[in-house]
């Protein structure tokens, strides 16, 4: 069977290479400036619903030396999301002993934040649980998390949400119906990066609350590489 090439309307010439032109036109690129990878071209984080709530949860946990548990997933996006969360928290000043992670076995524990996962996490006495690349449909798991004393729940995900969101202290997902963030195609790793972005890489030494913390821009070659890997995988 022979396939006919799809005819592109208003085709743009970006390169002397016809294949590159076809790829870029197929992705609806209109002008060369859209290919500029400068950090200044990233969409602003303040368009993400609950981003401020998430920043306060993370900042308070780091400043008060609370125990943070990252709940990831086993695939490429889940693994890179977990790594970005761990690295990002270290850049924020979290001590290694105060941050841990868990990549659940889907066959025995199910997908997402499930009650059995909470049972495993509970003995760690977490003050903050952060899901990465999962959690948006974890209604029962979120309820179970709320039974842990002095523990907050932050869900970061990119999957389509159910009609009712889980009961969490913050839910960051660009695909929430009420989220105005313009890009709906972020991988879970990108969502975690955006969650960390408002905080920067470090707090001022004298900060005692999230509101008094000062930060620098969050820049890490490792984080960019992980995000790129998750986005194209």
């Amino acid at each position: 069977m022979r396939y006919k090439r799809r005819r592109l309307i208003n085709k743009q010439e970006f390169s002397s290479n016809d294949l590159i032109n076809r790829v870029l036109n197929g992705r609806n690129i209109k002008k060369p400036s859209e290919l500029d990878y400068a950090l200044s071209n990233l969409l602003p984080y303040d368009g993400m619903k609950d981003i401020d709530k998430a920043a306060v949860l993370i900042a308070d946990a780091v400043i008060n030396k609370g125990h943070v548990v990252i709940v990831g997933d086993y695939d490429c996006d889940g693994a890179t999301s977990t790594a970005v969360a761990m690295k990002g928290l270290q850049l924020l000043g979290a001590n290694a002993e105060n941050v841990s992670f868990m990549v659940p076995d889907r066959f025995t524990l199910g997908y997402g934040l499930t009650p059995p996962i909470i049972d495993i996490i509970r003995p760690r006495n977490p003050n903050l649980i952060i899901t990465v690349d999962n959690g948006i449909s974890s209604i029962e798991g979120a309820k179970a998390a709320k039974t842990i004393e002095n523990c907050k729940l932050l869900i970061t995900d990119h999957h389509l949400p159910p009609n009712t969101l889980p009961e969490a202290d913050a839910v960051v997902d660009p695909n929430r119906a009420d989220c105005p963030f313009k890009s709906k195609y972020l991988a879970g790793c990108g969502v975690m990066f955006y969650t960390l972005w408002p905080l920067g890489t470090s707090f001022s030494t004298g900060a005692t609350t999230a509101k008094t913390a000062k930060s620098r821009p969050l820049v890490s070659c490792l984080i960019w590489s992980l995000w790129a890997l998750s986005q194209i995988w």
Side-chain angles (χ1 to χ4, degrees):
M1 179 182 295
R2 299 188 65 181
Y3 294 91
K4 293 183 179 180
R5 284 189 173 184
R6 181 168 60 90
R7 184 172 177 269
L8 295 171
I9 308 299
N10 299 323
K11 180 179 177 181
Q12 305 290 324
E13 295 291 335
F14 298 100
S15 168
S16 59
N17 186 301
D18 183 61
L19 177 59
I20 292 176
N21 284 323
R22 289 191 61 81
V23 169
L24 295 178
N25 279 278
R27 295 185 178 183
N28 204 32
I29 301 298
K30 300 297 186 184
K31 49 190 178 181
S33 61
E34 295 178 37
L35 303 174
D36 187 352
Y37 295 144
L39 301 185
S40 59
N41 290 332
L42 286 175
L43 291 172
Y45 61 77
D46 55 7
M48 194 82 76
K49 183 72 174 181
D50 271 8
I51 201 75
D52 291 337
K53 292 180 181 178
V56 170
L57 290 172
I58 295 173
D60 283 345
V62 172
I63 292 169
N64 296 313
K65 296 180 170 53
H67 185 191
V68 182
V69 178
I70 311 298
V71 179
D73 194 18
Y74 77 96
D75 63 7
C76 178
D77 193 17
T80 52
S81 299
T82 302
V84 164
M86 294 290 292
K87 179 63 176 178
L89 287 168
Q90 291 173 13
L91 289 172
L92 289 169
N95 296 324
E97 61 268 22
N98 292 333
V99 183
S100 62
F101 71 93
M102 177 182 184
V103 178
D105 184 337
R106 282 194 183 187
F107 295 102
T108 59
L109 299 173
Y111 168 72
L113 185 70
T114 62
I117 291 174
I118 296 299
D119 290 339
I120 294 174
I121 293 174
R122 192 184 302 275
R124 302 186 192 182
N125 297 315
N127 300 110
L128 176 62
I129 296 173
I130 304 176
T131 70
V132 292
D133 188 33
N134 73 87
I136 196 63
S137 59
S138 302
I139 305 297
E140 296 304 317
K143 290 180 180 178
K146 288 298 183 180
T147 65
I148 300 178
E149 188 176 0
N150 298 320
C151 182
K152 303 290 187 180
L153 174 61
L154 165 57
I155 290 175
T156 74
D157 203 348
H158 69 118
H159 295 99
L160 295 174
N163 293 330
T164 302
L165 295 177
E167 295 180 15
D169 296 281
V171 178
V172 181
D173 186 331
N175 283 299
R176 285 180 57 165
D178 59 349
C179 181
F181 193 72
K182 292 182 179 180
S183 176
K184 304 299 180 181
Y185 301 103
L186 275 180
C189 188
V191 176
M192 189 62 227
F193 169 81
Y194 265 89
T195 303
L196 293 167
W197 186 3
L199 294 165
T201 56
S202 65
F203 295 114
S204 60
T205 305
T208 55
T209 68
K211 291 182 179 180
T212 60
K214 296 181 180 179
S215 62
R216 296 193 301 268
L218 181 70
V219 177
S220 167
C221 291
L222 174 60
I223 285 180
W224 290 120
S225 299
L226 291 168
W227 184 5
L229 178 62
S230 71
Q231 197 70 43
I232 66 176
W233 186 258

